[in-house]
Amino acid sequence: MLVKTKAVVFSAIRYQEKSLIVKCLTEEAGLKTYFIRNAFSKAKNAQNRVYFQPLTLLEIEADHKNKSSLEYIKSVSLAQPYHSLNIDYVKNVIAIFLAEFLSNAVKEEEPNKPLYTFIETAFLWFDNHEGTANFHLYFILELTKYLGFYFDDSDETSFYFNAREGIFVNQFNPDCFNEEETILWRKLMQFNLTDNEKYFSGNERRNLLRLLVTYYQKHIVNFKEPNALNVLIEVFS
């Protein structure tokens, strides 16, 4: 079936000398993996690898067989070019980390347009704003709303956050963040992208990244800690 859709690139792995295997979230068909022939070729009809950098927003026409195998892209173009994301070092490190995070977290094999719209809108905002040192924290927390495991944030008094149940409680157990971690988690809940980038200290950012990864591991089977996590932590150290 021939499908025209917007797509956001999660990952691209080189295959042999000239090809790529590209994982995308598409607006019309959910998560898809494409085989890109001759991505490194200089031929005029080659599908250039520059289209398949992490988080690139694309317009594609693809032949979807829907047989749990690799799909093929017939044509590709940029949907929205980024202005700063690929040239600003800090933004680029955050983008690489979030692309890997999304690749590990999103399992949507069916179309989920609200999820796609959230991702697209978030990264266009990220690209067009300065002072975005906390963007990744906000994005990862908001993403849980679209993946189905946002927590109950109505309790403002309990001492501990139970990461497995997604609720605040007064009795500590092994699934809970300790009292200091819970205070930091509540601080993240109150964060807004319009807040000053100094809202969190470097140490608080590092601790929140660990807490967010732990939260995802409690809710997504075999969720892998992104390899780029340590790089991101080093950037904000």
Side-chain angles (χ1 to χ4, degrees):
M1 179 174 64
L2 196 61
V3 175
K4 292 183 179 180
T5 181
K6 292 193 289 185
V8 56
V9 177
F10 284 176
S11 66
I13 300 172
R14 190 163 185 164
Y15 179 77
Q16 296 182 345
E17 290 187 9
K18 296 183 179 180
S19 301
L20 286 171
I21 296 175
V22 178
K23 184 178 181 181
C24 296
L25 180 69
T26 70
E27 183 179 37
E28 300 297 333
L31 202 61
K32 289 291 182 182
T33 304
Y34 297 102
F35 183 72
I36 311 299
R37 289 193 182 95
N38 299 322
F40 295 86
S41 171
K42 295 181 180 180
K44 289 184 179 180
N45 61 347
Q47 292 176 343
N48 199 302
R49 65 186 183 278
V50 298
Y51 288 117
F52 305 107
Q53 300 301 310
L55 301 182
T56 303
L57 300 172
L58 301 174
E59 292 272 5
I60 63 173
E61 185 176 31
D63 186 14
H64 288 170
K65 303 296 185 184
N66 298 320
K67 294 182 178 180
S68 300
S69 59
L70 298 176
E71 310 282 15
Y72 293 87
I73 292 177
K74 294 178 69 68
S75 65
V76 59
S77 61
L78 290 177
Q80 293 272 5
Y82 291 126
H83 302 291
S84 66
L85 193 145
N86 294 321
I87 59 175
D88 181 300
Y89 174 71
V90 173
K91 284 188 177 183
N92 190 244
V93 170
I94 291 174
I96 291 171
F97 166 76
L98 288 177
E100 185 181 358
F101 198 101
L102 284 164
S103 186
N104 292 342
V106 176
K107 313 294 183 183
E108 297 283 345
E109 296 185 358
E110 298 297 324
N112 185 336
K113 290 189 178 183
L115 172 63
Y116 180 87
T117 300
F118 164 70
I119 293 171
E120 178 185 74
T121 303
F123 286 113
L124 288 174
W125 185 97
F126 182 48
D127 180 58
N128 286 290
H129 287 77
E130 300 301 323
T132 55
N134 299 312
F135 170 80
H136 54 298
L137 304 174
Y138 176 87
F139 177 86
I140 293 170
L141 190 65
E142 287 295 299
L143 181 64
T144 63
K145 295 178 180 179
Y146 299 88
L147 298 183
F149 53 92
Y150 190 71
F151 50 91
D152 180 357
D153 57 3
S154 61
D155 185 336
E156 299 179 358
T157 59
S158 296
F159 295 114
Y160 310 109
F161 178 67
N162 185 313
R164 186 172 299 279
E165 299 296 327
I167 58 175
F168 291 90
V169 297
N170 282 316
Q171 186 171 355
F172 185 85
N173 67 58
D175 289 321
C176 290
F177 297 160
N178 64 35
E179 191 168 352
E180 183 178 342
E181 291 168 339
T182 300
I183 291 171
L184 186 56
W185 188 259
R186 288 189 185 277
K187 187 176 179 180
L188 176 59
M189 288 167 47
Q190 297 165 0
F191 173 71
N192 189 289
L193 284 176
T194 59
D195 291 329
N196 190 290
E197 67 175 333
K198 294 182 180 179
Y199 184 90
F200 296 114
S201 68
N203 188 56
E204 286 177 328
R205 287 193 193 99
R206 290 191 292 273
N207 289 337
L208 279 169
L209 278 170
R210 297 295 186 189
L211 294 178
L212 285 163
V213 168
T214 297
Y215 186 60
Y216 272 70
Q217 288 174 331
K218 298 286 188 183
H219 293 272
I220 298 177
V221 177
N222 297 324
F223 179 81
K224 298 179 182 178
E225 179 180 295
N227 294 323
L229 177 62
N230 290 329
V231 178
L232 187 63
I233 288 173
E234 185 175 338
V235 167
F236 288 116
S237 63

